[in-house]
Amino acid sequence: MKFQLKNTIAILALTFFFVSCSSDDDSSSVAEGTSGDVELYFDNGVNGDALILGSTYTNSNGESLTINRLNYIISNIVLIKADGTEYTYPKEESYFVISAEGNLLTAHLENVPAGDYTQLKFGIGVDEQRYLQGETAQQSFWDLATEYNLTWTWSTGYRFINFEGTYTSPEVDGEKAFQVHQGSNTATDNYREVTLSLPTTARVREGEMPNIHLKTDANVILDGVNKIKLADNINEAQTATAIMGGENLITIAENTLNMFVVDHVHNGGNSSHED
């Protein structure tokens, strides 16, 4: 009896194991022709700390920045599978404003083909091809970008990043205002694209929405691979620093390639951002 009982238990255990595996396999299968949504969540920070507008952060340049604004444009989103297959989100819908002050922190993608994605690619700013389509073709996004101080005039185009506040430095007296407006101009194209590996596969399924949680490091803008001192760029009146063109923007564009990292992927969601 004991022998038969042990055999029965063993058989039941094996049956449960195979059923469980089958269940897992079924839940991970991709139904051909189906789609789901994907949400990108941008968690703004400064050198490992959360970004709190109005708070002060000191960088390796010895300058202390009180950040009052961090707005930027994310565009041309591409999801990539392990075999290199790419899904390019429709260009007309692939421009998003991310704003710390406006609490716009997500880019929501709809009708993404079901599949397992291992990389994410996107642009920082607005590419020349889109800009040259003209104002009428992008009026809705232009208006949104204007609302969040991410445009100049139409002839001069978009600000890709608007980073502002005040700072103190050992090299200047008192607190000064700063503005860093990253964008393209007639001399240089400062649009950049980044490709990031996902630490966990993003499983897009019908009725399930993976949330890709990115961390953005505002410190990298001035204190990345290249170091830019605000005090070195102060105006002649010694009242403020405004970086809006020239070689500094090319240097900043290089820094921003390292501004983003994917922290984690939350699979199986069906609503807005989840930690």
Side-chain angles (χ1 to χ4, degrees):
M1 285 292 292
K2 288 184 178 179
F3 178 76
Q4 290 179 335
L5 181 60
K6 287 182 179 178
N7 281 348
T8 302
I9 293 172
I11 291 169
L12 288 172
L14 286 171
T15 301
F16 178 78
F17 173 77
F18 286 120
V19 169
S20 297
C21 289
S22 175
S23 176
D24 288 344
D25 289 342
D26 289 344
S27 67
S28 64
S29 62
V30 178
E32 189 174 348
T34 61
S35 62
D37 291 359
V38 176
E39 188 170 83
L40 310 182
Y41 176 77
F42 291 86
D43 186 357
N44 296 308
V46 184
N47 199 25
D49 294 324
L51 171 60
I52 301 172
L53 296 181
S55 295
T56 301
Y57 306 87
T58 301
N59 61 27
S60 70
N61 297 325
E63 296 182 329
S64 294
L65 281 63
T66 300
I67 302 169
N68 297 325
R69 172 174 289 159
L70 176 64
N71 299 339
Y72 49 95
I73 295 172
I74 295 299
S75 62
N76 295 315
I77 297 169
V78 178
L79 293 166
I80 307 169
K81 296 180 179 178
D83 64 1
T85 303
E86 296 187 353
Y87 169 69
T88 301
Y89 199 64
K91 189 173 184 65
E92 293 74 17
E93 303 169 25
S94 199
Y95 294 83
F96 300 89
V97 168
I98 305 298
S99 170
E101 63 178 341
N103 200 33
L104 291 181
L105 304 176
T106 60
H108 190 90
L109 313 181
E110 297 180 336
N111 300 317
V112 175
D116 297 332
Y117 297 93
T118 59
Q119 288 183 301
L120 169 68
K121 180 166 66 175
F122 59 84
I124 306 169
V126 176
D127 54 293
E128 184 178 18
Q129 180 189 31
R130 179 61 170 166
Y131 175 66
L132 291 177
Q133 288 178 345
E135 185 175 0
T136 302
Q138 51 200 296
Q139 188 66 59
S140 179
F141 183 73
W142 175 265
D143 291 344
L144 177 65
T146 299
E147 181 181 349
Y148 288 93
N149 297 285
L150 286 166
T151 59
W152 283 297
T153 64
W154 176 250
S155 61
T156 47
Y158 293 91
R159 297 181 175 110
F160 301 165
I161 298 174
N162 188 328
F163 182 48
E164 297 182 355
T166 59
Y167 75 100
T168 59
S169 170
E171 300 173 23
V172 297
D173 294 328
E175 187 177 63
K176 311 297 180 185
F178 78 86
Q179 294 178 313
V180 177
H181 295 168
Q182 165 75 356
S184 292
N185 51 48
T186 54
T188 59
D189 180 4
N190 291 315
Y191 171 80
R192 296 291 183 271
E193 288 187 340
V194 296
T195 301
L196 305 172
S197 294
L198 306 183
T200 305
T201 299
R203 298 174 58 254
V204 179
R205 301 290 187 272
E206 187 174 14
E208 296 183 8
M209 182 183 70
N211 182 284
I212 301 174
H213 185 126
L214 298 101
K215 289 196 171 182
T216 305
D217 186 359
N219 185 64
V220 166
I221 296 171
L222 298 172
D223 189 18
V225 174
N226 305 295
K227 310 296 181 182
I228 300 172
K229 285 189 175 183
L230 292 168
D232 289 346
N233 296 275
I234 198 166
N235 60 12
E236 290 185 7
Q238 297 286 298
T239 57
T241 293
I243 299 175
M244 300 183 186
E247 288 298 319
N248 272 330
L249 286 196
I250 299 173
T251 302
I252 286 171
E254 183 179 350
N255 280 351
T256 57
L257 290 173
N258 299 305
M259 188 174 168
F260 303 93
V261 64
V262 178
D263 185 66
H264 64 271
V265 177
H266 176 81
N267 281 304
N270 56 11
S271 59
S272 190
H273 169 68
E274 299 178 53
D275 289 328

